[in-house]
Amino acid sequence: MSAADAAPPPERQRPRTERRRERRPVRLGAYGVLEDGQTVEVAVLDLSYEGCAIACQFELIAGERIKLYVLRRGAIDATVRWAKDGKAGLVFDASTEPVRRHWPRRCERVTIDAEMAMRRLGQANFTVRVADLSSDGCKVELVDRPAVDEPVLIRFKGLEVMPAEVCWIDGAWAGLRFEKRMHPAVFELLLERLGG
């Protein structure tokens, strides 16, 4: 046997075009919305143009779809590439369109005078006054001023937490668009409770 035959084979490396681009370490508060509408809080740990790593106490599954909302940076569709020990790797969808800045109203709003809990990501809940409401969104009087396009979490008493996004701000008022439209029966029940 010659020395060449005894030498171990060279390590196989991915071709240069297949190598993952460098990811920058970050620490960003965020939340994800799963395909079934469930919302989970996450922290983005590193970031590249193609994807990121996140820490999440909820167990994600490889291949699962997730919409990632990062504070003051908008939303992006992604797929879970791997998940292990409270962390996961996401790959961003190449076809993701930029988040629209304005949304036309799809239904009439009902004037009300009510309160709900609102929370900016990574911060405590605070109570806001709600001036009008539809199944798609609402108008609130601000206590803590978010930014336009910023994701927030809201909660009406007796209902689960709902993700929403700030569409506009005018003085002390802001318009919120719910991530998921309320079912008509839930909307009618909520109006009845709020006295609208």
Side-chain angles (χ1 to χ4, degrees):
M1 179 182 279
S2 70
D5 293 333
E11 283 190 35
R12 185 182 180 283
Q13 293 186 353
R14 286 196 262 184
R16 190 169 186 82
T17 55
E18 289 182 31
R19 290 190 187 144
R20 185 176 83 177
R21 291 196 181 166
E22 181 183 359
R23 292 194 175 183
R24 305 266 181 205
V26 294
R27 187 72 182 186
L28 301 171
Y31 71 91
V33 178
L34 306 180
E35 288 179 290
D36 64 2
Q38 185 172 4
T39 303
V40 293
E41 288 197 43
V42 302
V44 179
L45 305 176
D46 68 29
L47 187 63
S48 77
Y49 287 110
E50 289 84 22
C52 66
I54 61 171
C56 178
Q57 296 194 3
F58 183 87
E59 189 171 333
L60 298 172
I61 301 166
E64 189 172 18
R65 308 269 304 129
I66 185 169
K67 187 173 212 105
L68 183 67
Y69 289 85
V70 180
L71 183 66
R72 293 192 179 100
R73 288 171 174 81
I76 190 165
D77 293 314
T79 302
V80 178
R81 170 83 40 101
W82 58 267
K84 184 178 179 185
D85 301 327
K87 293 184 179 175
L90 305 182
V91 60
F92 300 143
D93 292 355
S95 61
T96 298
E97 296 179 9
V99 177
R100 293 178 297 167
R101 295 189 65 82
H102 300 285
W103 297 269
R105 259 188 209 168
R106 293 182 287 184
C107 53
E108 283 302 308
R109 294 193 177 203
V110 177
T111 300
I112 61 170
D113 187 9
E115 293 183 338
M116 71 173 182
M118 181 171 156
R119 180 160 59 96
R120 298 174 69 191
L121 299 185
Q123 298 187 25
N125 285 345
F126 52 92
T127 301
V128 295
R129 186 172 143 235
V130 183
D132 69 25
L133 177 69
S134 77
S135 57
D136 290 321
C138 61
K139 177 181 175 181
V140 298
E141 188 173 23
L142 297 172
V143 173
D144 184 12
R145 189 180 177 95
V148 173
D149 293 335
E150 182 176 333
V152 294
L153 299 174
I154 63 165
R155 184 173 185 271
F156 288 98
K157 189 173 181 179
L159 294 179
E160 63 187 25
V161 172
M162 289 195 309
E165 192 162 11
V166 179
C167 295
W168 56 265
I169 296 175
D170 184 9
W173 295 92
L176 305 181
R177 181 184 65 92
F178 305 145
E179 169 67 23
K180 201 172 180 183
R181 178 182 274 190
M182 278 190 217
H183 187 279
V186 174
F187 179 65
E188 290 301 324
L189 178 61
L190 179 58
L191 279 181
E192 189 177 316
R193 284 184 185 171
L194 298 175

